[in-house]
Amino acid sequence: MTTPERTPDPAPTVEAVPGPTTPTATAGRMPTAGAGPEAAPRPDTGPDTGPVAAPAAATGPEVGSRQGDAASGTAPDAGLERWRLLLGSAAEQHTGPLSPGGAGRDAALDWLYGRDPDLARRGVRRSGVTSRTGGNGPSALTTVDWLDDIHRLFPKETVERLERDAVERYGIQEIVTDPAVLERVEPSPTLLRAVLRTKHLMNPEVLRAARRIVESVVRQLLSRLRPEVRRAFHGTRSRTPSRVPLARDFDFRRTVRANLAHYQPAERRLLIERAHFHSRTRRHMTQWQLILLVDQSGSMAGSVIHSAVTAACLWGLPGLKTHLVAFDTQVVDLTADVTDPVELLMRVQLGGGTDIARAVRYAAGLVENPRRTIVALVTDFYEGGDAYQLVRSVRSLVEQGTTVLGLAALDEDAEPDYDRGTAARLAEAGAHVGAMTPGHLAEFVAERLGR
């Protein structure tokens, strides 16, 4: 997508920078009562500007002089303008009016966060900016207009945060179901999750546009995860020297020690006459199986995406046979599509019930050598089927020698949200329960293959 160039404002510009957590409300901008200013998206004056200290109480001659400056037409104070964007129009009597650029940012923020129903309950008034000026007169701000505005007014990190809140917090599904909007959005993992949740509502034209998001995000994930996964399967370094000159095996310390005689003090250079390298121990690659069972309920969207990409990264590694199985109340074996994670994700249908026991029974039928098999169950453990049969099936696999992993999350954040009661019973049955990033899963599998 082509992002419109940002036109500099005559006054100091303000950019809202998202905080690490979900925004919560202060006086008028955000929805949760009583939160401090650090809980909301923090306006910023640019990439080099740090957090702003809380302004002094709105009394005294200093505040009066600032308001007088604003009234006389001078540029508003950048710090006060940031607080005005954060707190909403109710703070304007103390901060002064916004610059033209700040007014545009305020309109974009108000279009999104002003729709929160909690604001009306608390009696917080909207900023009053519900239209935009363009052409010959004002017009209603549409989703397309809003996307154009935020890409022009905010940095990329803030745009991603605003789009995520629009989709996940306020359910503005036009972002992923309107072809005109899909042409403008920047592909991101948030939008990919939204596409997977809503693609059953899309007509063929919209699906073709949405596929661009899927392809772009999967390509980014593959480029980031594939080296990490492959690295886990390389042999470990040993102290034995090697005559094979590989950059990844370069022995820096030994090379420096061996060439100290060639150090040139005047030029502060060390001439390397001979480089030294480590050798590597080669893992004994007995054939193993990795069976990835992935819960495709709506809350597991992130894990579904990373499971598909991880399976693609693991596919074809020596000594490893990978299966990928998705389940809800039914079980679908997606192994045939593992090499094409884009097509695989377009086949996944998020939502529905969950029958984990049925999926584990299916996995048990795929096991060829129990002592050379890892079953990775990626789920939130909220069992809609027979919990007793689930525990019994897991215990049976463990007793046969199969390694069972119960992963409450498989994504970059590894932040689990799961049924702790069911997870505890599976742990008692012998499963390893926790959460992993794809890289940690690869390391775990590689460690087992090296045994």
Side-chain angles (χ1 to χ4, degrees):
M1 162 180 140
T2 302
T3 304
E5 293 185 359
R6 181 176 173 180
T7 304
D9 299 315
T13 58
V14 181
E15 297 174 351
V17 177
T21 58
T22 302
T24 53
T26 52
R29 176 63 64 201
M30 310 302 296
T32 303
E38 287 297 322
R42 292 172 295 177
D44 202 344
T45 55
D48 297 328
T49 304
V52 177
T59 57
E62 184 179 356
V63 172
S65 65
R66 287 172 177 170
Q67 292 176 342
D69 290 343
S72 64
T74 58
D77 181 272
L80 288 177
E81 185 170 68
R82 290 164 64 190
W83 278 106
R84 161 62 181 83
L85 286 173
L86 180 70
L87 299 173
S89 60
E92 193 162 306
Q93 59 179 321
H94 301 298
T95 63
L98 294 168
S99 66
R105 294 179 179 87
D106 185 60
L109 293 171
D110 191 67
W111 184 88
L112 179 62
Y113 297 111
R115 67 187 62 221
D116 197 295
D118 191 54
L119 295 178
R121 181 184 62 80
R122 292 163 45 217
V124 177
R125 291 177 295 177
R126 297 282 297 273
S127 296
V129 185
T130 56
S131 63
R132 69 197 299 263
T133 301
N136 296 323
S139 61
L141 187 63
T142 66
T143 304
V144 176
D145 297 329
W146 179 73
L147 284 169
D148 286 341
D149 286 348
I150 64 173
H151 280 273
R152 175 173 52 86
L153 295 168
F154 297 103
K156 181 179 179 181
E157 295 80 5
T158 306
V159 170
E160 292 176 355
R161 175 60 175 270
L162 293 173
E163 288 177 343
R164 181 169 73 246
D165 283 351
V167 173
E168 297 184 350
R169 188 170 183 174
Y170 299 108
I172 304 175
Q173 301 297 349
E174 300 98 298
I175 291 180
V176 289
T177 57
D178 185 336
V181 178
L182 282 170
E183 292 175 1
R184 289 168 166 78
V185 296
E186 188 72 25
S188 68
T190 295
L191 294 179
L192 174 53
R193 291 193 295 271
V195 167
L196 296 185
R197 292 189 181 106
T198 58
K199 62 187 175 65
H200 64 287
L201 304 174
M202 301 178 184
N203 60 42
E205 178 188 359
V206 178
L207 268 177
R208 284 192 294 273
R211 191 181 183 92
R212 176 184 70 91
I213 293 176
V214 179
E215 291 173 346
S216 177
V217 177
V218 167
R219 185 166 57 249
Q220 294 171 15
L221 290 173
L222 280 172
S223 64
R224 186 162 64 250
L225 292 178
R226 182 172 278 133
E228 185 178 356
V229 169
R230 299 291 171 127
R231 192 181 305 119
F233 284 82
H234 291 162
T236 56
R237 288 181 176 183
S238 72
R239 295 185 178 182
T240 306
S242 172
R243 294 184 179 180
V244 181
L246 295 176
R248 66 186 177 91
D249 295 334
F250 180 65
D251 190 340
F252 175 78
R253 293 179 180 274
R254 191 161 182 258
T255 299
V256 170
R257 284 197 300 268
N259 292 276
L260 283 175
H262 308 298
Y263 180 65
Q264 298 179 334
E267 299 181 12
R268 300 177 64 85
R269 291 194 306 173
L270 177 66
L271 301 181
I272 298 178
E273 183 177 278
R274 179 185 174 188
H276 293 265
F277 300 87
H278 293 285
S279 64
R280 286 182 178 260
T281 58
R282 185 176 180 180
R283 288 191 171 102
H284 178 61
M285 291 295 186
T286 305
Q287 184 70 30
W288 275 72
Q289 276 183 287
L290 171 63
I291 304 173
L292 275 170
L293 294 175
V294 186
D295 184 345
Q296 59 179 353
S297 60
S299 61
M300 298 298 294
S303 292
V304 170
I305 294 167
H306 282 84
S307 296
V309 174
T310 302
C313 295
L314 293 171
W315 184 261
L317 287 174
L320 183 64
K321 182 178 181 180
T322 305
H323 305 261
L324 181 62
V325 179
F327 68 91
D328 43 33
T329 54
Q330 302 296 320
V331 177
V332 181
D333 196 325
L334 301 172
T335 304
D337 293 321
V338 157
T339 55
D340 187 356
V342 174
E343 187 61 35
L344 189 153
L345 288 172
M346 294 303 289
R347 286 186 57 189
V348 167
Q349 185 60 63
L350 296 178
T354 307
D355 192 338
I356 308 173
R358 171 177 287 191
V360 173
R361 288 197 301 271
Y362 180 85
L366 297 175
V367 174
E368 297 170 0
N369 182 347
R371 297 187 178 277
R372 290 288 183 270
T373 300
I374 300 171
V375 175
L377 175 62
V378 185
T379 180
D380 55 13
F381 301 106
Y382 288 99
E383 174 63 294
D386 191 332
Y388 173 77
Q389 287 296 329
L390 169 61
V391 175
R392 183 177 179 180
S393 298
V394 168
R395 180 177 289 112
S396 177
L397 285 171
V398 171
E399 289 174 349
Q400 293 173 9
T402 301
T403 300
V404 179
L405 289 176
L407 302 181
L410 180 65
D411 55 30
E412 293 174 339
D413 298 326
E415 295 180 357
D417 180 14
Y418 61 102
D419 184 337
R420 285 169 168 73
T422 301
R425 288 194 290 273
L426 295 186
E428 292 172 358
H432 304 269
V433 176
M436 287 185 180
T437 64
H440 285 131
L441 175 61
E443 292 173 3
F444 182 91
V445 175
E447 180 185 349
R448 293 300 186 276
L449 265 65
R451 290 183 174 180

